[in-house]
Amino acid sequence: YYLLGVIGNPIAHSKSPAMHNAALLEAGVQGAYVPLHVEPENLQAAVMGMKAMNFRGFNVTIPHKVDILSYMDELDESARFIGAVNTVVIEHDRLIGYNTDGVGYVRSLKEEAVSTIEGMHVVVIGAGGAARGIVYALLLEQPQSLTILNRTAEKAEELAKDFKVLGNVNGYSIDSAEQVLAQADIVINTTSVGMHPHTDQTPVSIHHIPEGIVVSDLIYNPLETKLLTDSKHKNCIIHGGLGMFVYQGAIAFEHWLHVQAPVEAMRRAVL
Ligand code: ATR
């Protein structure tokens, strides 16, 4: 019987328990996945408690994704590069930290919108925590170029510098959007611009999006942002943020249980 869960604060509205319990049922694995409200000052005690109670693993969400690093016995390359952990596997009393957000996003993009990222000109809008995971995972796919655009140019430049060893990545101010987007094959919004309740906003002017490219948005509330709706009217292939949530969970599930995640059942449970 496998014990799994997610630690965070707030945690009551997390869709992870519904998604993972549906996955356990569909995969025929005996177990349960519970939401665990943990205050920052109790983080270490909570982690040790899960070890003591023989949890198989757990997800980590806001505000613990960075602080949890110090309690890991081992870090996967993803967590090391990104500097944050969203998935912990407990194996032989050891805590192993992973970050499945970026890799989950890329798997969703490849399943749902593009045949390959290799050789493409990719543009990421935003340079926060979400962008970090995605930039890491995109560079593993060897794009021709990866350009980060951000309101605060310094943050884009800094993020690019951190990942320079993995590929051709550069960061600029969002003021360069017109020039940079003209060359783009794939554009990805990682900012919160367009998220409920500000659904009438787009992170860049739609006039700068070339006809027929791939446009992706990490936001999943609404399921289709204004950026995606407007891009659809320019014959673009669009990709929403729900898949990233489902696939980060699917990859975590596979790390814990070594069985293929039932992705469609997971998606249905979230919807
Ligand atoms: P997350 O973990 O979701 O990425 P974050 O680390 O706070 O959150 O990063 C938010 C990102 O969205 C940043 O790139 C931020 O731009 P700045 O670095 O200039 O702050 C971007 N962002 C948020 N609100 C924005 C807005 N109204 N216009 C443009 N960019 C915005």
Side-chain angles (χ1 to χ4, degrees), residues 62 125-132 149-153 155-156 174 189-193 195 201-203 218:
I62 291 165
I125 304 168
R132 230 181 137 74
L149 296 176
N150 196 45
R151 177 175 62 182
T152 311
K155 280 178 66 184
I174 192 86
N189 174 46
T190 73
T191 75
S192 50
V193 181
M195 193 188 289
Q201 299 176 2
T202 61
L218 263 52

Side-chain angles (χ1 to χ4, degrees), residues 2-21 24 32-39 43 46-47 50 55-65 68 85-88 90 100-101 220 245 248-249 252 256:
Y2 292 100
L3 289 174
L4 300 164
V6 53
I7 60 171
N9 177 17
I11 203 65
H13 296 110
S14 169
K15 296 201 190 323
S16 291
M19 179 168 76
H20 281 288
N21 286 314
L24 289 165
Y33 183 111
V34 290
L36 300 160
H37 182 126
V38 175
E39 299 290 347
L43 182 59
V47 171
M50 276 188 282
F55 270 62
R56 173 63 189 156
F58 56 97
N59 283 127
V60 184
T61 188
I62 291 165
H64 306 307
K65 284 188 178 193
I68 194 97
V85 164
N86 83 326
T87 301
V88 177
I90 305 177
T100 69
D101 285 332
Y220 60 88
F245 179 68
Q248 63 74 31
W256 294 321

